[in-house]
Amino acid sequence: MKLDVDVLRYLSKDDFRVLTAVELGMRNHEIVPTELIDRIARLKHGGTYKVLKILLKYKLLHHDSSKYDGFRLTYLGYDFLAIKTMVNKGVFVAVGRQIGVGKESDIFEVAREDGTVLAMKLHRLGRVSFRAVKSKRDYLRHRSSYNWLYLSRLAALKEFAFMKALETHGFPVPNAVEQNRHCIVMSLVQGYPLVQVKQLQNPDTVFETIIGLVVRLAEHGLIHCDFNEFNIMIDDEEKITMIDFPQMVSVSHRNAQMYFDRDVECIFKFFRKRFNLSFQENIEDIDSSDEGGDEAGKPCFFAIERKSGFLDRELSASGFTRKDEEDIQRFIEGSTETDTISDSQGVGLVEDQDEVGTVDDDSSHLVEQNDGYESQGKDESCKVCESSESEKEDASDNEENNEDAMENEAELVKSLNKQRRRAIAAAHRGRKTIAARNSYKDKGGRSSHNSKIQKQLSSW
Ligand code: ADP
Ligand code: MG
């Protein structure tokens, strides 16, 4: 997917208003009914329908009429919302070239007003997968579709929280600047991923520094879980910076030792192969404890002394909750335990898409819980949506099945025009459309809800 930020310039306030309305609707709908979007956006003269066409054209929305007529955000639409918020907050003023494509992220340079260049990471969970592709896919298929946008936001929230906490404790990580939705802005690391480096002046020292980091992380109660040559940056002075934290776990995780050993093994293997390091001679003293280490001088997980409370104290203060951690961990691990997520917590799901109508729509709670659209507060209701259409939500959001949408575009435009005319007529008559009255049941106080949303939207 191409992030064409030029489009941002052409988008009007109304366009963003409708885009935001779709985002809001997605808190309890996988596909947001068109009528609901119209009600949330509250544009005059059926303006919503006109705007929907524009947003569709720019691929910021995906249209779905398989069960009822509705829309959902694409990753691009979500990108635009995050970028717009960042720009409004003055975090940066321009988006530059793409500098990285991770497994599940896109990294761009962004520039501050004073010319400082920062790095922006847009999380894209579901594009490839974290790990355990197969098991996760299977699991998701059974489990019903996951809301990738929600998971990407969680990943960003987690990464940001960890980056900040690690920085506070003197770990060499980028400076965490800002987070919004699935987007993180951080300092730009000068250097290259270790995987691109063919020669080092002091491979022993670099190796020891890196293994020392794994050990120090564990002392602080953490395991990186993806600690390898792709997530370690090194500059010309051979200074190390570690990146990429959404998959980190606590040392109390049930598989902690396995993750720790795997991180260690990755580094050993890489240095052995790339720099011909021989470990017996070089790093017998890496683990200061006598109990630890195996024959190759590897640090031993159980021999590491813990400095307690790191995760609990600092991360809970960051807005990244235990529940967020559980959700994202379930996704990463593709665990079968997931079946208990929504069921036990009764999140606001659309249980049956045929009952589009059943909007769990005491919507005012959505607004309150999420103070502003930019809120980092967790939003349980958009976590999982029951649907038989899990395949559709699958992976590459940007491809977006938009081909179908294109084929049906003419039809869709006709339908939107028709709905628009109906809305205008209804507005003239001063009452709701028949469809608005009947297409779903609104349990919540419509007017109070709408006025709250209205207040938030007015800030756009
Ligand atoms: P993923 O989680 O998708 O693997 P990463 O955080 O590892 O994403 O980033 C992918 C690539 O983007 C990295 O390998 C690196 O080249 C580049 N990158 C990430 N963060 C920064 C940064 N702060 N400064 C410079 N380059 C970065
Ligand atoms: Mg990475």
Side-chain angles (χ1 to χ4, degrees), residues 101-105 121 224 226 228 230-231 243-244 247:
V101 184
K103 285 192 302 287
E104 293 194 292
S105 72
K121 177 168 177 176
H224 187 287
D226 205 7
N228 55 42
F230 297 92
N231 292 327
I243 58 169
D244 203 359
Q247 64 292 314

Side-chain angles (χ1 to χ4, degrees), residues 421-438:
R421 280 196 300 276
R422 248 196 268 144
I424 294 171
H428 285 156
R429 290 196 300 275
R431 64 184 175 80
K432 279 198 280 180
T433 60
I434 293 171
R437 275 186 275 130
N438 295 341

Side-chain angles (χ1 to χ4, degrees), residues 195-415:
V195 68
Q196 292 175 8
V197 176
K198 302 285 177 241
Q199 265 190 330
L200 288 173
Q201 286 189 334
N202 303 297
D204 293 355
T205 317
V206 172
F207 173 79
E208 282 174 31
T209 307
I210 292 173
I211 286 294
L213 277 175
V214 185
V215 172
R216 197 147 73 84
L217 278 175
E219 285 171 355
H220 283 79
L222 293 171
I223 301 167
H224 187 287
C225 285
D226 205 7
F227 203 67
N228 55 42
E229 61 275 22
F230 297 92
N231 292 327
I232 295 168
M233 308 280 286
I234 186 161
D235 67 10
D236 291 335
E237 272 71 57
E238 305 197 342
K239 186 175 155 279
I240 298 298
T241 306
M242 56 179 186
I243 58 169
D244 203 359
F245 315 108
Q247 64 292 314
M248 282 185 108
V249 299
S250 156
V251 288
S252 54
H253 188 281
R254 66 187 183 292
N255 297 324
Q257 186 196 358
M258 186 269 281
Y259 290 141
F260 177 86
D261 289 346
R262 194 178 56 188
D263 279 358
V264 169
E265 181 55 32
C266 274
I267 302 302
F268 268 67
K269 204 168 152 191
F270 178 73
F271 274 81
R272 203 184 293 129
K273 277 181 107 172
R274 177 77 52 97
F275 304 111
N276 293 319
L277 278 205
S278 148
F279 298 113
Q280 270 90 343
E281 295 151 25
N282 292 329
I283 33 104
E284 261 154 19
D285 56 348
I286 281 247
D287 181 7
S288 51
S289 161
D290 290 340
E291 310 158 49
D294 59 17
E295 73 286 354
K298 289 179 188 161
C300 169
F301 178 66
F302 292 111
I304 293 169
E305 213 174 288
R306 320 262 183 264
K307 295 173 182 140
S308 65
F310 179 78
L311 261 184
D312 295 344
R313 264 189 287 115
E314 317 224 347
L315 296 176
S316 64
S318 70
F320 181 73
T321 64
R322 225 169 242 290
K323 162 91 174 25
D324 292 336
E325 171 62 12
E326 283 164 18
D327 281 3
I328 197 163
Q329 230 21 70
R330 272 192 202 100
F331 170 73
I332 291 170
E333 291 167 16
S335 151
T336 47
E337 290 163 19
T338 318
D339 279 353
T340 56
I341 310 182
S342 55
D343 317 276
S344 62
Q345 285 153 11
V347 295
L349 305 178
V350 181
E351 288 293 337
D352 180 350
Q353 296 273 351
D354 287 324
E355 274 195 80
V356 181
T358 326
V359 182
D360 173 19
D361 209 348
D362 173 11
S363 305
S364 55
H365 85 279
L366 294 176
V367 180
E368 277 153 15
Q369 266 183 5
N370 293 278
D371 56 322
Y373 301 77
E374 294 104 55
S375 160
Q376 297 181 3
K378 83 188 153 178
D379 172 18
E380 298 183 334
S381 57
C382 73
K383 184 172 43 191
V384 185
C385 291
E386 292 292 338
S387 160
S388 59
E389 297 186 355
S390 55
E391 312 275 324
K392 283 204 174 166
E393 273 294 313
D394 212 349
S396 52
D397 194 0
N398 37 351
E399 277 135 39
E400 285 314 323
N401 311 314
N402 251 341
E403 282 163 24
D404 294 348
M406 296 292 250
E407 276 172 30
N408 297 328
E409 197 172 305
E411 226 170 274
L412 174 63
V413 167
K414 240 175 32 197
S415 147

